[in-house]
Amino acid sequence: MKKILLYIFLVLLLLNTCCSYRYLQKPIGTFADANVLIGKNTVYVFEQLQEEEILVRIAESVKKDSIEPSDLEPRVLTTEHLETRKELIDYLVKYTELLHSLIDEDYNKDILNNNKRVNESIEKISSRHNDTFSREEVGIISAIGAALPEALTAARNRRLILKLMNRHQPLIDKISGMLKEELQLTKKVINTFFARQFRLVTAEKWPDKESKRESYAKKGAKILDRKRKINVILDDLIAAIGIISPTHKRLMGYVKNNRGPLNTLSSFVDYAARIEGLYLEYSEEKKGNK
């Protein structure tokens, strides 16, 4: 009788573990998918902002008697600065993809490759920002990564997953904080570019003849419309990136206990969906205005 009861207990325990593991797939997968959307659109927005700076350089070059290639290149949102920001985004996206592959057994084959990509991302950021990660943090992350082959045969190992999440939490705090500051600073800079575009393209060229003014007014209106829409996207991105870290903390509690409020995850998903829609609308309108 004792053996039968023990057997029933073990079966129930196994079933509970499997069910609870499947229960984690949706929130972790949703978090990863939203991160990919946020990351993709953050890169797109930075690229669009760089284009707006180039439009300023074009408007400035019209007044010059001669022109050099450097006159049409961005000086603030340079390619190097853009690559630095992409690396910050890249880490957040690759880490959440790694986490998803650990939770969802359909992605087990991607675990080692995803782990390699995360480590490469950390190394790139460390090489550009010497003070971002301590040697101890990088060493611990590497050590945990070395243990990940265990996850290929024991993907339901919550202890390993929680350890990984716990060690990445300080990195997520730092990277999301840096990215949020970059976006806030960029927002201030880009608004000066829009103001300069308006002055160079519309205000300074305002014709004396009333019959010619409408076309210039339309050019000015398009600049102001882009400014308004980009600022809405930037505000949402800043808010979304600001809740990546607390959402990750909530998910740690969820992985540990299979319960707990995930309201920040809902907000994060809402931001991701709205930003995707706003950016698609913005890019389509921009194509139509060319």
Side-chain angles (χ1 to χ4, degrees), residues 66-132:
S66 62
I67 191 170
E68 299 291 335
S70 58
D71 293 328
L72 299 176
E73 292 176 354
R75 300 169 201 163
V76 179
L77 301 172
T78 64
T79 301
E80 184 179 357
H81 288 163
L82 187 60
E83 286 304 310
T84 301
R85 290 163 177 135
K86 283 182 179 179
E87 285 168 4
L88 300 178
I89 297 160
D90 204 38
Y91 162 75
L92 294 172
V93 171
K94 287 178 178 176
Y95 165 70
T96 51
E97 288 177 339
L98 169 62
L99 187 60
H100 190 200
S101 61
L102 284 168
I103 293 290
D104 194 332
E105 57 189 4
D106 290 340
Y107 296 93
N108 276 359
K109 63 182 182 299
D110 299 322
I111 290 174
L112 294 181
N113 184 49
N114 286 345
N115 180 60
K116 180 182 177 183
R117 292 167 66 216
V118 170
N119 287 336
E120 287 173 350
S121 183
I122 290 172
E123 287 174 8
K124 284 182 181 178
I125 295 171
S126 296
S127 66
R128 286 184 185 266
H129 305 273
N130 295 328
D131 299 329
T132 304

Side-chain angles (χ1 to χ4, degrees), residues 55-264:
L55 289 175
V56 171
R57 304 305 168 210
I58 291 170
E60 289 174 337
S61 67
V62 173
K63 295 185 174 184
K64 297 183 177 181
D65 295 329
S66 62
I67 191 170
E68 299 291 335
S70 58
D71 293 328
L72 299 176
E73 292 176 354
R75 300 169 201 163
V76 179
L77 301 172
T78 64
T79 301
E80 184 179 357
H81 288 163
L82 187 60
E83 286 304 310
T84 301
R85 290 163 177 135
K86 283 182 179 179
E87 285 168 4
L88 300 178
I89 297 160
D90 204 38
Y91 162 75
L92 294 172
V93 171
K94 287 178 178 176
Y95 165 70
T96 51
E97 288 177 339
L98 169 62
L99 187 60
H100 190 200
S101 61
L102 284 168
I103 293 290
D104 194 332
E105 57 189 4
D106 290 340
Y107 296 93
N108 276 359
K109 63 182 182 299
D110 299 322
I111 290 174
L112 294 181
N113 184 49
N114 286 345
N115 180 60
K116 180 182 177 183
R117 292 167 66 216
V118 170
N119 287 336
E120 287 173 350
S121 183
I122 290 172
E123 287 174 8
K124 284 182 181 178
I125 295 171
S126 296
S127 66
R128 286 184 185 266
H129 305 273
N130 295 328
D131 299 329
T132 304
F133 308 127
S134 67
R135 289 184 180 180
E136 182 183 7
E137 284 175 326
V138 175
I140 290 171
I141 293 293
S142 299
I144 294 173
L148 286 180
E150 178 186 353
L152 292 170
T153 54
R156 293 175 176 81
N157 191 331
R158 287 171 184 263
R159 186 176 178 183
L160 178 62
I161 293 167
L162 280 168
K163 190 174 183 181
L164 181 76
M165 293 179 77
N166 187 56
R167 293 303 183 182
H168 272 275
Q169 183 64 47
L171 277 66
I172 292 169
D173 283 338
K174 291 179 183 178
I175 295 300
S176 59
M178 290 169 66
L179 193 53
K180 185 176 178 180
E181 287 179 6
E182 287 281 357
L183 283 165
Q184 289 170 330
L185 178 61
T186 302
K187 182 182 175 183
K188 292 178 181 178
V189 172
I190 200 63
N191 282 326
T192 65
F193 288 151
F194 280 118
R196 185 155 177 75
Q197 272 189 59
F198 185 87
R199 181 167 63 81
L200 292 169
V201 173
T202 300
E204 290 186 0
K205 293 185 177 181
W206 195 248
D208 294 330
K209 290 186 178 181
E210 187 177 335
S211 59
K212 294 182 179 181
R213 290 174 183 172
E214 185 177 355
S215 62
Y216 286 92
K218 286 180 178 178
K219 289 178 182 179
K222 287 178 181 179
I223 292 170
L224 296 177
D225 188 53
R226 291 203 309 274
K227 174 187 174 182
R228 183 167 53 253
K229 287 176 178 173
I230 280 288
N231 272 278
V232 170
I233 295 172
L234 280 168
D235 285 340
D236 275 358
L237 281 173
I238 290 166
I241 288 168
I243 59 173
I244 288 177
S245 182
T247 301
H248 186 262
K249 286 179 182 176
R250 291 282 179 87
L251 284 171
M252 276 197 288
Y254 203 74
V255 171
K256 185 176 181 179
N257 302 315
N258 261 3
R259 62 179 181 273
L262 287 175
N263 54 312
T264 54

